[in-house]
Amino acid sequence: MTKGKVYFVGAGPGDVGLITVKGQKAIEKADVILYDRLLNPKLLEAAAFDCELIYCGKTPYTTGISQGEINELLVSKALEGHRVVRLKGGDPAVFGRVGEEAESLKDEGIPFEVIPGVTSSIAASMYAGVPVTHRDYGRSFAMVTGHDQTKKDIDWNGLVSIDTVAFYMGVANLPSIRENLINHGKPGNTPALVIQWGTYGRQESVEGTLDDIVERVSGRSLGNPAITLVGDIISLRGKLQWFERKPLYGQRFLVARTGTAKSALAEALYELGGEVIEFPKWNAAKVKIEESQLLAFLSYDRILFTSPESVHGFLDSLTEHAIDFRRISSKLYVLSRKSKKALQQRGLTAELKSGMPEAGTLLVVGDRNRDLRDLAHGTGDYIQSITKFVDERFLEIFPRMLDGKAVGTILFSNRHSVDMLMQYGNKADVDVEGLLKQASIGVIGESTGNRLQDYGFTSDMMPKEPSVEQLVDLIVNRNVC
């Protein structure tokens, strides 16, 4: 069998937008992905459905998968002929053990590439409002591992002469770091900054000086993953903060998903600084429709599409059989603005179901089996143009996505989203009812609120008009006096 190839990919520090284009393409083409604990699991959604996802996460002071086991996995999967991605948080060459792992491949004659990523110290610092260099405050910059306080090979004398120093994962050893820097000549009033979960919406920063940073961090109960920054350049933070001033900074959201299309709600929250978890993860597959069936469907007076996926499935089938879209004489209707947009992207116009007349023959085009169709959509004939299914690889990932800061707000866009979060959240061994009891709940539309009540919960936010924009406005303004 032909040997495969391994790609060491830097995933960036947390914000999914910081993945490189080359890194994203490597994820999309991978047969196997070995991924770490500290990267954003949302990046894995770009992987193919048949890609094997292997968790290689390690937590401090616990025994997880060993480095030797990781090396063996890389070698064995590559020798099986697979295209393997080793996905690492930050940059694989900055305290990412890429050297050790690449050596194990070289010894077996396995080809590899390294795709750099945005390293955590630089990104987290800038997201906290601090550039690591500045011609007036910092012309030199160093990155140091903060893991082991007993290491004798750290040149403390050299470090105190460097303008800005970033210590990786040094919270537990912060007292020792402070002591060594001061004992080797760094003034106690030198600014210091600790940034936990940098670039995530849950990012938290504690600012002080070497004299008091340990007590300040302890008072806020910060821990790893964190970057500790030391240097006068931190004084620029008051002027240059940008991320922590976004309106939804510090807030964590769970958006219940019902389809494969990008969530406009999740995107809007992310752009405003919120950290957004989306679940469940969905995939879709085409349903074969014969040409004679398609031609017969075009004779209906009304066609109602129940989802964006059903739109694309139906129109893709027409294209597959070389049937001109202009042969559609039916009046087209949709359940959501997202489906309306999907039709517009294909050159067709539609109206919302609320404006659909009762008269005339009706074809409902959906993404569920006929037995599971929602009769509220209409009693006309029904065709499934595509099948949607939950990607069960993410059932194991979902509980880890919830680690850290508690989810403050849970959002539902339709009735189906309520059922799906309940069903698949519990299947993932997550206490969904517990999450709902502790969080604020937002819904789009009375029907969604009514479905939530069936489970014993009531919504805290519902816009007057059922739209993403109005729900986001409610979220942004809920704490404004």
Side-chain angles (χ1 to χ4, degrees):
M1 179 181 288
T2 304
K3 289 179 182 176
K5 186 173 182 178
V6 175
Y7 296 81
F8 294 95
V9 177
D15 184 336
V16 291
L18 296 180
I19 185 75
T20 64
V21 173
K22 191 170 185 179
Q24 178 82 5
K25 289 181 178 178
I27 293 171
E28 293 169 356
K29 296 178 180 179
D31 301 314
V32 180
I33 297 177
L34 282 70
Y35 65 100
D36 282 347
R37 177 177 73 97
L38 295 180
L39 60 85
N40 194 326
K42 188 169 179 60
L43 291 169
L44 299 172
E45 292 190 4
F49 178 65
D50 57 354
C51 176
E52 182 181 6
L53 305 178
I54 302 175
Y55 180 59
C56 297
K58 302 173 185 176
T59 55
Y61 315 114
T62 61
T63 55
I65 185 170
S66 70
Q67 187 60 53
E69 290 172 314
I70 293 172
N71 295 350
E72 290 174 6
L73 273 170
L74 290 171
V75 169
S76 64
K77 294 298 181 181
L79 289 177
E80 290 172 7
H82 295 302
R83 186 184 182 103
V84 182
V85 164
R86 178 71 172 103
L87 194 58
K88 293 172 170 284
D91 184 293
V94 181
F95 307 122
R97 296 192 174 182
V98 69
E100 300 170 44
E101 294 178 7
E103 280 184 300
S104 67
L105 300 174
K106 186 67 176 177
D107 292 342
E108 298 291 336
I110 297 169
F112 63 87
E113 284 187 26
V114 180
I115 301 175
V118 179
T119 191
S120 302
S121 61
I122 295 174
S125 299
M126 197 65 256
Y127 270 55
V130 181
V132 295
T133 63
H134 188 286
R135 63 182 179 178
D136 294 330
Y137 294 90
R139 300 194 178 199
S140 57
F141 171 61
M143 294 180 284
V144 184
T145 178
H147 268 304
D148 189 355
Q149 70 183 73
T150 65
K151 286 188 69 172
K152 303 299 183 183
D153 55 354
I154 291 180
D155 181 6
W156 294 104
N157 286 319
L159 283 182
V160 298
S161 66
I162 292 173
D163 295 320
T164 310
V165 182
F167 293 90
Y168 282 64
M169 298 296 190
V171 173
N173 296 327
L174 194 55
S176 174
I177 290 170
R178 174 178 68 178
E179 180 183 359
N180 275 291
L181 287 173
I182 292 176
N183 287 346
H184 287 82
K186 204 75 169 175
N189 64 355
T190 303
L193 178 69
V194 175
I195 311 155
Q196 183 185 42
W197 289 110
T199 81
Y200 280 93
R202 77 188 98 155
Q203 174 178 304
E204 189 169 355
S205 305
V206 173
E207 186 175 352
T209 64
L210 283 179
D211 282 333
D212 64 12
I213 192 64
V214 172
E215 291 72 25
R216 287 175 179 266
V217 168
S218 177
R220 293 274 288 277
S221 301
L222 261 64
N224 287 322
I227 294 292
T228 299
L229 204 65
V230 178
D232 291 335
I233 202 166
I234 294 168
S235 62
L236 291 172
R237 172 172 152 81
K239 292 181 180 180
L240 302 182
Q241 276 181 285
W242 60 276
F243 180 63
E244 294 176 0
R245 290 177 177 165
K246 287 193 169 190
L248 297 183
Y249 162 73
Q251 298 187 41
R252 206 172 195 209
F253 300 87
L254 172 57
V255 175
R257 292 176 66 173
T258 59
T260 61
K262 287 185 177 180
S263 168
L265 176 58
E267 186 68 19
L269 299 171
Y270 165 77
E271 289 295 330
L272 292 169
E275 181 180 353
V276 186
I277 299 168
E278 298 178 71
F279 183 82
K281 163 73 167 64
W282 294 81
N283 282 302
K286 284 199 305 183
V287 172
K288 186 173 178 59
I289 307 175
E290 298 297 334
E291 182 178 6
S292 58
Q293 288 180 291
L294 287 167
L295 291 172
F297 294 151
L298 301 185
S299 64
Y300 282 78
D301 298 315
R302 300 167 295 159
I303 298 179
L304 172 66
F305 295 97
T306 66
S307 67
E309 292 86 356
S310 66
V311 168
H312 293 303
F314 187 79
L315 298 182
D316 286 347
S317 293
L318 291 178
T319 301
E320 184 179 330
H321 291 289
I323 299 173
D324 195 326
F325 289 2
R326 289 173 294 184
R327 296 182 64 176
I328 302 175
S329 60
S330 315
K331 188 72 175 177
L332 306 182
Y333 296 91
V334 291
L335 294 181
S336 67
R337 290 179 175 84
K338 192 178 292 185
S339 297
K340 186 175 182 178
K341 186 176 180 180
L343 278 165
Q344 288 173 338
Q345 291 171 342
R346 307 292 287 265
L348 298 169
T349 59
E351 295 181 15
L352 292 174
K353 180 181 180 291
S354 57
M356 187 174 75
E358 295 295 329
T361 55
L362 172 66
L363 174 70
V364 179
V365 181
D367 53 31
R368 304 188 207 177
N369 292 333
R370 185 182 301 274
D371 294 342
L372 299 175
R373 65 174 294 191
D374 188 341
L375 294 179
H377 297 159
T379 56
D381 293 332
Y382 181 84
I383 182 67
Q384 182 183 7
S385 67
I386 202 161
T387 181
K388 287 193 309 187
F389 51 94
V390 168
D391 189 336
E392 298 208 354
R393 294 175 301 176
F394 285 80
L395 297 181
E396 179 254 339
I397 295 170
F398 183 45
R400 291 200 299 272
M401 296 172 75
L402 296 171
D403 283 346
K405 186 172 182 174
V407 171
T409 308
I410 300 176
L411 301 169
F412 300 97
S413 58
N414 55 50
R415 291 174 57 88
H416 190 45
S417 66
V418 178
D419 295 330
M420 292 301 95
L421 182 61
M422 291 294 187
Q423 178 182 342
Y424 286 98
N426 290 325
K427 195 171 182 180
D429 291 328
V430 169
D431 180 11
V432 178
E433 290 81 2
L435 291 177
L436 287 165
K437 288 176 182 177
Q438 297 175 8
S440 295
I441 304 173
V443 300
I444 298 179
E446 290 186 11
S447 175
T448 308
N450 292 338
R451 187 60 181 145
L452 190 64
Q453 288 180 349
D454 292 340
Y455 287 94
F457 296 93
T458 54
S459 62
D460 302 293
M461 294 173 287
M462 183 175 70
K464 292 180 180 178
E465 295 295 328
S467 72
V468 167
E469 294 78 12
Q470 288 205 16
L471 180 57
V472 172
D473 284 343
L474 282 178
I475 293 167
V476 171
N477 295 317
R478 60 183 166 179
N479 295 324
V480 177
C481 298

